[in-house]
Amino acid sequence: MQKRDKSFGIQMLSVQPDTKPKGCAGCNRKIKDRYLLKALDKYWHEDCLKCACCDCRLGEVGSTLYTKANLILCRRDYLRLFGVTGNCAACSKLIPAFEMVMRAKDNVYHLDCFACQLCNQRFCVGDKFFLKNNMILCQTDYEEGLMKEGYAPQVR
């Protein structure tokens, strides 16, 4: 995120019956509900704090909202509109900014593409893999290559 891009926390608070009702920043009406949301140093009805793009209720989709260009956004829409996209090092297809990825050195991969590029063995978090000439290899294929070519390991 750039300096002007901001993410903010959302708090759900219960309204104390003996306190003066707070005004909602979304609709400007008094909040008489049992619960209210506090975000951006303002108070909101649960139904009034919504993503400007998809209209989802931000109190339900997480504890963070994003602001940019005077918009209040959920994480998915913020990344879709303003996030950086790239291409998968294995399939060369576009990776949307909101998609989970795997990384190896400077390479970025779709989760489904993060596999040995010789035998297609998929890797899980914590599995050992090797990167040789920008190819992801499992231990078996890497060691077979060592026997044939004698190259030095780069364990990740």
Side-chain angles (χ1 to χ4, degrees):
M1 280 192 284
Q2 297 171 344
K3 286 185 180 180
R4 283 178 266 137
D5 303 352
K6 301 229 175 158
S7 67
F8 296 92
I10 301 171
Q11 294 177 296
M12 180 175 278
L13 306 170
S14 60
V15 176
Q16 303 302 317
D18 56 344
T19 60
K20 180 182 171 190
K22 303 202 182 310
C24 175
C27 68
N28 295 316
R29 294 191 194 120
K30 298 281 185 208
I31 301 172
K32 297 177 183 175
D33 302 341
R34 186 173 175 192
Y35 296 99
L36 59 82
L37 298 174
K38 183 177 181 186
L40 304 171
D41 292 325
K42 298 175 184 173
Y43 297 95
W44 308 77
H45 289 105
E46 290 179 81
D47 287 336
C48 291
L49 186 58
K50 293 182 179 181
C51 174
C53 285
C54 70
D55 237 15
C56 70
R57 291 171 40 160
L58 294 171
E60 292 179 353
V61 296
S63 59
T64 305
L65 63 83
Y66 297 81
T67 63
K68 184 165 181 173
N70 292 323
L71 297 172
I72 296 175
L73 302 165
C74 66
R75 180 179 188 276
R76 181 178 174 95
D77 283 325
Y78 174 83
L79 291 173
R80 184 176 59 79
L81 293 170
F82 303 110
V84 177
T85 59
N87 290 348
C88 175
C91 72
S92 299
K93 291 182 183 171
L94 186 69
I95 301 174
F98 57 82
E99 192 172 302
M100 297 291 285
V101 297
M102 295 294 286
R103 296 179 185 273
K105 287 201 170 189
D106 294 332
N107 298 332
V108 183
Y109 302 87
H110 293 108
L111 292 181
D112 290 340
C113 294
F114 194 70
C116 176
Q117 292 174 311
L118 294 179
C119 72
N120 294 320
Q121 174 190 326
R122 301 261 324 258
F123 298 104
C124 297
V125 174
D127 285 352
K128 185 186 286 189
F129 67 91
F130 299 84
L131 196 59
K132 172 63 181 158
N133 298 330
N134 268 349
M135 283 182 61
I136 299 173
L137 301 172
C138 66
Q139 187 162 359
T140 303
D141 287 329
Y142 180 76
E143 288 173 354
E144 283 179 14
L146 270 179
M147 300 292 225
K148 293 177 187 172
E149 301 173 21
Y151 48 78
Q154 292 182 14
V155 178
R156 295 281 161 234

